[in-house]
Amino acid sequence: MILVAGLLSTVPVVAQEAPALWRDPEAGCIYFKLGNTLSLRHQRDGWPDCPDAQRAVASSGSPAPQAEPVTRDDVRDVTRAIEGLSRRLDDIRREYERRGRY
């Protein structure tokens, strides 16, 4: 019984399709293809895996663009927004309880 349960638990892992690579014939960019979904592949340096991006790196010599660092103000703003959403959800939950629908 344990052996059968162990084998059945691995079925979803085995059934997953491995992503294939697809190259856009016009732009030359490489995409991961999983089912009907395409996702742009990126190089290790962060640039998209496209010939134009490679030429831009060679001509400029600059690395991939980096995002600006997160500041304390950013964290504070996100924290306040989450707290505000939490208060709104509490209000909605209380309203549903008051109406007897929760």
Side-chain angles (χ1 to χ4, degrees):
M1 215 43 191
I2 294 173
L3 180 62
V4 172
L7 289 174
L8 289 177
S9 67
T10 61
V11 170
V13 175
V14 175
Q16 289 182 353
E17 180 183 343
L21 294 179
W22 178 77
R23 182 180 296 273
D24 182 3
E26 294 176 9
C29 296
I30 298 176
Y31 294 85
F32 289 113
K33 182 177 181 185
L34 184 59
N36 292 334
T37 306
L38 291 177
S39 176
L40 182 61
R41 186 172 87 166
H42 288 82
Q43 300 171 8
R44 288 184 180 171
D45 60 2
W47 288 95
D49 198 355
C50 299
D52 292 338
Q54 293 169 357
R55 277 190 243 122
V57 171
S59 64
S60 68
S62 64
Q66 298 293 319
E68 295 181 20
V70 176
T71 65
R72 286 185 177 176
D73 292 338
D74 296 333
V75 173
R76 186 191 67 229
D77 293 344
V78 170
T79 303
R80 286 181 180 169
I82 291 171
E83 290 170 351
L85 288 172
S86 179
R87 284 191 298 273
R88 288 182 183 173
L89 287 173
D90 289 340
D91 293 343
I92 291 170
R93 184 169 49 268
R94 281 193 294 273
E95 182 64 25
Y96 271 94
E97 288 172 353
R98 186 183 69 78
R99 293 182 182 187
R101 294 184 183 174
Y102 189 65

